[in-house]
Amino acid sequence: MTVAGRGKRRKRWRHVFPRGLSFTREGRVYVIVTLGVGFAAVNTGNNLLYLVLGMMLGLIVISGVLSEIALRGVSVRRLLARRAEEGVVFPVELTLRNEKRRAASFSVELRDEIDGTPFQRRRFLLRVGPAEERSIAYRCELHRRGPAVFDGIIVSTRFPFGLFEKTRYFKLEDEALVHPGRIDVATPRLPQASQEGAGAIERRGLGQEFRELRAMAPGDDPRRIDWRSTARLGGEPLIRETDREVRGAVEIALDAAPAADTPAAREEVEQRIRAAGTFARDLAGRGFAVSLVTSGRGEGAGGAADVSILLDRLARLDPRALSAAPPPVASAPGAILIGPRAAALGPSVRAAVPMAREAPA
């Protein structure tokens, strides 16, 4: 069975049985010793061995009761960034709330499940008192572009003796869109057609020119609230939208279709996608409006998009679906071509993409 298959099977069973119990190495040794003492007590009839056996079994019962108290009556939540970058660390905050009135939860570990697989890093809380809430963050790093699904949170404890690990699964689905990572590649020198001579273009962003007032939406920067307009209208906070001036428009024609269905060909395509993302970030930072064409004929400068939208598109790109699509053709003058099938109707420059890196283990 493949790793993906095992992950789906584990995910299905966790939804049916959200609780689990497993032996630690010390616990396995302890149970073997307990069975040995019980076997000796039954065969010899020695009362002292029966007494020792009773004490050892009582320790197992106490361990089960206390660990159950630690996991009962708790709830969790997650604070997650909606966008991340491939190979770049970003924080994820987990919060555990103990809803019990009198009992505390001791030695609790929190662990995220990402794409059906438990994340390798655990976060430890020594004590969460009654009606108390504790938050803890961990550094997450994802090495695959595209949507990363955070399926749920695994809460576990080995309290009090470390003989068993009892777990409880909380289904809490979130998604982070992983943008392609940056690579060490220089942006090609643009043809004159895409330079400042193309004229200034107005685009929504941080600038001086007023565009509109709109209602505040989740994720908006509070520093952009227009307090005067908000107070005058007496309603919900209003965001002041402005226009920024860009130097010109650049179109990127990306050939993201693999030449063959092999790991090397697929990784080569991923490297081209990383190069396109690197060029887009660099050009947007220099004041250019960037557009992307992956199949067929592009729309030219009129189709220029915000760089975050362009990176979202690169993150969700499916190379297999592009294998049957027509090759990309840039229609705007001064385009950047990536890949052997990429073409342009006017002046263009073909980018040299470095060799694909080895995929992380």
Side-chain angles (χ1 to χ4, degrees):
M1 182 182 293
T2 63
V3 175
R6 289 196 297 268
K8 290 180 181 179
R9 183 178 179 183
R10 187 188 300 114
K11 183 177 179 180
R12 182 173 66 251
W13 281 109
R14 275 191 179 144
H15 291 170
V16 179
F17 302 106
R19 289 179 175 268
L21 180 68
S22 60
F23 290 93
T24 64
R25 185 176 63 178
E26 295 81 3
R28 287 194 292 269
V29 173
Y30 185 85
V31 169
I32 291 173
V33 173
T34 303
L35 292 176
V37 171
F39 182 76
V42 170
N43 279 277
T44 62
N46 191 313
N47 291 334
L48 181 59
L49 289 178
Y50 277 114
L51 177 62
V52 173
L53 176 63
M55 294 174 61
M56 298 181 75
L57 292 175
L59 203 65
I60 294 176
V61 174
I62 292 173
S63 176
V65 171
L66 293 180
S67 62
E68 178 62 26
I69 292 175
L71 295 185
R72 179 173 293 181
V74 299
S75 60
V76 294
R77 70 173 184 267
R78 179 195 300 115
L79 183 61
L80 174 68
R82 295 305 171 192
R83 289 184 174 97
E85 186 177 331
E86 181 186 14
V88 176
V89 174
F90 64 97
V92 179
E93 183 179 274
L94 302 178
T95 300
L96 177 75
R97 177 171 179 79
N98 182 10
E99 299 175 349
K100 298 185 291 291
R101 294 184 178 180
R102 297 181 178 83
S105 294
F106 293 93
S107 303
V108 179
E109 288 184 338
L110 304 177
R111 193 180 189 187
D112 254 324
E113 186 180 60
I114 305 175
D115 291 331
T117 304
F119 194 60
Q120 65 268 26
R121 290 179 182 169
R122 306 180 182 217
R123 306 310 294 165
F124 181 77
L125 295 172
L126 180 60
R127 181 183 184 275
V128 183
E132 185 182 2
E133 185 176 277
R134 297 280 301 277
S135 297
I136 194 166
Y138 70 91
R139 293 159 58 87
C140 184
E141 184 178 356
L142 302 175
H143 294 277
R144 183 183 60 81
R145 68 171 179 87
V149 179
F150 288 68
D151 302 297
I153 300 176
I154 303 169
V155 182
S156 61
T157 183
R158 297 187 179 188
F159 183 77
F161 307 120
L163 302 178
F164 311 98
E165 182 177 64
K166 184 171 288 188
T167 61
R168 184 178 176 185
Y169 181 76
F170 292 85
K171 181 177 173 58
L172 190 64
E173 289 191 353
D174 279 312
E175 181 180 285
L177 187 60
V178 183
H179 289 168
R182 305 169 191 257
I183 60 176
D184 187 13
V185 58
T187 303
R189 186 176 182 85
L190 299 176
Q192 189 63 29
S194 60
Q195 298 290 342
E196 290 82 14
I201 303 173
E202 297 296 331
R203 287 289 182 267
R204 186 186 300 269
L206 296 178
Q208 301 298 325
E209 294 295 327
F210 173 76
R211 172 184 283 263
E212 64 179 351
L213 288 173
R214 62 171 177 83
M216 187 176 183
D220 283 334
D221 189 347
R223 293 174 295 182
R224 297 171 57 196
I225 297 177
D226 190 326
W227 293 108
R228 288 187 178 181
S229 300
T230 300
R232 185 173 64 253
L233 297 177
E236 58 185 0
L238 298 175
I239 295 294
R240 181 183 178 87
E241 284 284 7
T242 56
D243 282 331
R244 63 183 175 91
E245 254 191 15
V246 297
R247 299 169 57 185
V250 178
E251 194 170 19
I252 298 177
L254 171 64
D255 175 18
D261 192 13
T262 62
R266 289 193 293 268
E267 184 58 27
E268 183 181 355
V269 168
E270 292 298 322
Q271 192 74 343
R272 293 180 205 160
I273 296 174
R274 296 184 191 109
T278 303
F279 296 156
R281 294 183 181 99
D282 178 53
L283 291 168
R286 289 160 50 188
F288 287 91
V290 187
S291 60
L292 175 71
V293 54
T294 56
S295 64
R297 182 172 173 176
E299 298 177 357
D306 184 73
V307 67
S308 61
I309 300 176
L310 189 146
L311 292 173
D312 288 350
R313 184 179 168 191
L314 286 174
R316 299 184 184 275
L317 208 58
D318 184 4
R320 292 186 178 181
L322 293 174
S323 298
V329 180
S331 58
I336 298 177
L337 309 182
I338 305 176
R341 299 196 310 160
L345 298 179
S348 62
V349 57
R350 189 170 297 277
V353 180
M355 295 292 292
R357 66 185 183 185
E358 293 185 1

